[in-house]
Amino acid sequence: MSEARKTALPGVERAILPGATLGVMGGGQLGRMFVHAAQSLGYRTAVLDPDAASPAGLVSHHHIHADYLDADGLGRLVTLADAITTEFENVPAAALQILADQRPVAPAAAAVAICQDRAEEKAHFGHAGVPCAPCAVIRSEADLAGVADALLPGILKTARLGYDGKGQAGVATRAELAAAWLGMKHVPCVMEKRLPLELELSVIVARRADGQAVNFPVQQNLHRDGILAVTQVPAPDVSVELAQQAITRAHAIATELGYVGVLCVEFFVVRDAAGALALVANEMAPRPHNSGHYTIDACDQSQFELQVRTMAGLPLTTPRLHSPAVMLNLLGDLWFDGSVERTPAWEELLKLPGVHLHLYGKTSARPGRKMGHLNVTGTNAASVRATALQACALLGLAPY
Ligand code: ADP
Ligand code: MG
């Protein structure tokens, strides 16, 4: 056992230093970018993921092919890793708890469990004093009958396992609501009022076990069909006051959770009764977030480096945005012209100044599948936008 393994809690006792092995539950693109950051800091890495071709497993020192609750796989991860994190919120909280009995785990199973459940997540926002959209939890026929008319038209969302707009249905009437809940096989759901969104924002906070916390600047996000399409930083349409409020609320949410790691909070911006812009918390992710991918190229530390620093108990310094940035998500749709497969115009794209192409090494493209992202940086927001729009035209993405 290395010296580092004796550390009980990252950040409280002794830091887990480069040379140690960091483990991650999940082998998707977020795990891959975590592995890149960890290795760049001199750590070895271990990924646990059932998929032999997982994007993170392909680049990690160790890849444990096992299901998330497989006792043997978890045991091997504990043997290999000095500290463990997760790259997605749907890893069973029970698995994180098993790991946490033997190794420092950040974020903690309890925090991840809250993020796994929309009803608990919204209750947590309330505990942190942060407003969210008017909503009702539906677990029974009585709950369904009790849904206030004021929540219509709304969006019915499964409490668990939804992502990228999946597990959601727009409902305009009570009959549609009942049909949608039946369609979701009567699993616990949250019924949310549909709000007229002016904007969508997110804030990424990184917090150590001793409570020290830093954040990236506010991100302005555009979603298409429930999937993030474009992130712009600095947020072009957000006042300094509103941005500060979003940052303050994201910190409050992390503090109330006693959170250790990287946390992203998504906000809606709506008009209040007086016509002023107001913030509403939407959801949170207990991990680096798609809206923070620009940090790899536009900040002096990426969100993945902060994931490493927080789990290893290394010092945190405030990350600095050194370039305005636009992030364009590259979905599998770009690999198709109608039903004919094609290769996106990478060579033309890479002729543009300040473009940074990130592909996740996924073996097959499917519409809606996240294949990679493109970061555009430059000396000013106008030139970054101009280049990003050229990139959109080359790739066949809708302009924003
Ligand atoms: P997911 O887990 O799929 O990201 P979200 O709850 O964030 O689920 O919903 C995805 C997107 O759908 C949001 O980013 C937003 O664009 C839209 N949306 C969700 N809830 C509402 C709402 N209450 N009112 C208006 N738009 C919403
Ligand atoms: Mg979301």
Side-chain angles (χ1 to χ4, degrees), residues 69-137:
L69 279 167
D70 178 76
D72 178 55
L74 293 173
R76 278 154 60 208
L77 186 59
V78 164
T79 307
L80 286 168
D82 298 281
I84 298 163
T85 187
T86 181
E87 65 119 33
F88 74 123
E89 58 269 44
N90 290 325
V91 55
L96 291 180
Q97 195 51 58
I98 291 167
L99 297 169
D101 290 342
Q102 299 170 81
R103 290 288 177 270
V105 171
V112 175
I114 291 174
C115 300
Q116 284 174 348
D117 187 304
R118 286 186 195 277
E120 289 198 39
E121 189 171 66
K122 286 180 193 298
H124 176 75
F125 292 153
H127 299 150
V130 175
C132 54
C135 65
V137 178

Side-chain angles (χ1 to χ4, degrees), residues 118 223 226 266 282-283 289:
R118 286 186 195 277
H223 291 80
E266 294 182 21
N282 172 29
E283 60 171 354
H289 192 258

Side-chain angles (χ1 to χ4, degrees), residues 118 133 155 157 162-166 168 192-195 197 200 223 226 266 268 282-283:
R118 286 186 195 277
I155 305 175
K157 305 180 178 180
Y163 68 98
D164 287 345
K166 295 187 177 68
Q168 299 192 7
E192 226 175 86
K193 186 176 175 61
R194 183 180 287 281
L195 301 176
L197 308 185
E200 294 192 63
H223 291 80
E266 294 182 21
F268 297 147
N282 172 29
E283 60 171 354

Side-chain angles (χ1 to χ4, degrees), residues 20-348:
T21 300
L22 301 181
V24 57
M25 292 289 280
Q29 62 268 14
L30 299 175
R32 179 180 173 102
M33 290 181 270
F34 163 78
V35 163
H36 288 154
Q39 292 179 344
S40 156
L41 279 161
Y43 291 94
R44 298 176 64 81
T45 57
V47 170
L48 188 148
D49 188 291
D51 177 4
S54 77
L58 291 175
V59 297
S60 177
H61 292 90
H62 303 280
H63 180 191
I64 302 164
H65 301 180
D67 285 327
Y68 299 113
L69 279 167
D70 178 76
D72 178 55
L74 293 173
R76 278 154 60 208
L77 186 59
V78 164
T79 307
L80 286 168
D82 298 281
I84 298 163
T85 187
T86 181
E87 65 119 33
F88 74 123
E89 58 269 44
N90 290 325
V91 55
L96 291 180
Q97 195 51 58
I98 291 167
L99 297 169
D101 290 342
Q102 299 170 81
R103 290 288 177 270
V105 171
V112 175
I114 291 174
C115 300
Q116 284 174 348
D117 187 304
R118 286 186 195 277
E120 289 198 39
E121 189 171 66
K122 286 180 193 298
H124 176 75
F125 292 153
H127 299 150
V130 175
C132 54
C135 65
V137 178
I138 302 179
R139 294 197 180 91
S140 65
E141 291 290 346
D143 291 340
L144 181 71
V147 167
D149 286 335
L151 294 183
L152 291 164
I155 305 175
L156 183 70
K157 305 180 178 180
T158 59
R160 303 176 73 87
L161 299 174
Y163 68 98
D164 287 345
K166 295 187 177 68
Q168 299 192 7
V171 292
T173 63
R174 303 194 78 86
E176 283 181 22
L177 171 60
W181 195 43
L182 179 62
M184 292 171 183
K185 301 196 166 59
H186 287 179
V187 295
C189 282
V190 171
M191 167 66 187
E192 226 175 86
K193 186 176 175 61
R194 183 180 287 281
L195 301 176
L197 308 185
E198 297 283 333
L199 294 173
E200 294 192 63
L201 309 178
S202 57
V203 176
I204 294 168
V205 172
R207 188 172 184 276
R208 273 165 51 105
D210 63 1
Q212 190 202 350
V214 298
N215 60 272
F216 290 101
V218 170
Q219 292 109 213
Q220 184 168 325
N221 302 324
L222 173 69
H223 291 80
R224 294 189 179 123
D225 299 326
I227 306 180
L228 181 66
V230 182
T231 294
Q232 299 178 77
V233 186
D237 304 313
V238 179
S239 68
V240 174
E241 294 74 24
L242 197 69
Q244 190 49 56
Q245 191 181 45
I247 289 167
T248 304
R249 290 183 178 184
H251 278 268
I253 288 166
T255 303
E256 179 70 22
L257 274 174
Y259 193 82
V260 183
V262 171
L263 179 79
C264 178
V265 183
E266 294 182 21
F267 294 95
F268 297 147
V269 180
V270 295
R271 295 238 171 239
D272 66 15
L277 293 179
L279 277 180
V280 170
N282 172 29
E283 60 171 354
M284 59 181 169
R287 52 170 171 77
H289 192 258
N290 198 162
S291 65
H293 289 353
Y294 74 93
T295 61
I296 294 174
D297 297 304
C299 295
D300 59 358
Q301 306 171 64
S302 75
Q303 60 173 347
F304 301 99
E305 176 168 345
L306 293 191
Q307 185 179 18
V308 172
R309 286 189 185 223
T310 49
M311 76 185 288
L314 292 175
L316 282 187
T317 61
T318 300
R320 185 176 65 85
L321 180 78
H322 54 65
S323 165
V326 168
M327 189 278 315
L328 303 173
N329 246 353
L330 305 178
L331 302 181
D333 309 60
L334 300 183
W335 275 250
F336 293 93
D337 187 359
S339 59
V340 181
E341 273 206 62
R342 66 171 181 193
T343 302
W346 302 137
E347 282 183 86
E348 288 303 309

Side-chain angles (χ1 to χ4, degrees), residues 1-9 13-14 16 82 103-104:
M1 181 182 283
S2 71
E3 272 301 291
R5 286 200 182 156
K6 293 179 189 152
T7 304
L9 263 179
E13 294 183 12
R14 203 174 331 147
I16 293 166
D82 298 281
R103 290 288 177 270

